[in-house]
């Protein structure tokens, strides 16, 4: 597994590098302390996961996430920060981040999250999940966006909001799993979203209005 590290503290980068490379099957292919440099290097290196510091001298990990996701969507972004600001969490998810962890995370949990993110899962630190959901529930109405969806797509969105997998949704709706995947892809495209986590937050916002 190939990983890129972005953090403005060299000691933090070195600690994370030693932790990850101690696993034997994880290689840190690059690192940087500046947002603009990272945004330039990551698409060229094409790591599986980019671990991005939330706040940097010349920008933020969220900005870098947004740029690399548009240029190299195969790279998964994991925001690792000291701040549990709910605005930043929502911004990170809407920028396409696959996860958001606080730096007080244990080393074993960080490794586990990196592996899960690389495998395509979306991960949120449980300490910030509740406030993120609270924020999106109090957000603006989404009726206009929902109007773009077919009734089937709206039902599937609801199931995603409940945390159901494509297989579980297929069983619930008596459809083939591949059909559900096609519906999910069409629904995400209509809503301008790129991940199931974003769709789950959108669903939470819908039910809060």
């Amino acid at each position: 597994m190939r990983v890129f590290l972005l953090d403005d503290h060299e000691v933090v980068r070195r600690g994370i590098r030693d932790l990850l490379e101690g696993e034997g099957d994880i290689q840190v292919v690059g690192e940087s302390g500046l947002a603009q440099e990272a945004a330039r290097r990551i698409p060229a290196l094409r790591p599986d996961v980019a671990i991005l510091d939330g706040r940097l001298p010349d920008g933020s990990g969220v900005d870098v996430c947004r740029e690399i996701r548009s240029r190299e969507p195969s790279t998964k972004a994991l925001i690792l920060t000291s701040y549990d600001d709910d605005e930043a969490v929502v911004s990170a998810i809407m920028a396409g981040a696959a996860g958001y962890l606080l730096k007080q995370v244990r080393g074993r949990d960080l490794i586990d999250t990196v592996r899960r993110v690389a495998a395509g899962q979306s991960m949120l630190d449980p300490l910030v999940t509740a406030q993120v959901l609270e924020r999106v529930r109090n957000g603006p109405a989404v009726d206009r966006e929902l109007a773009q969806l077919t009734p089937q797509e709206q039902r599937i969105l609801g199931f995603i909001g409940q945390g159901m997998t494509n297989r579980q949704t297929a069983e619930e709706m008596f459809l083939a799993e591949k059909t559900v995947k096609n519906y999910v892809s069409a629904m995400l495209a209509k809503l301008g979203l790129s991940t199931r986590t974003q769709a789950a937050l959108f669903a939470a916002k819908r039910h809060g209005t």
Side-chain angles (χ1 to χ4, degrees), residues 79-120:
I79 306 296
L80 183 64
T81 180
S82 302
Y83 306 96
D84 61 352
D85 174 19
D86 58 338
E87 180 79 33
V89 181
V90 172
S91 297
I93 294 170
M94 299 313 291
Y100 191 105
L101 282 179
L102 301 180
K103 283 186 176 177
Q104 56 260 46
V105 66
R106 294 182 302 175
R108 190 71 253 168
D109 291 337
L110 174 59
I111 293 169
D112 181 60
T113 299
V114 169
R115 292 189 185 282
R116 288 173 179 267
V117 164

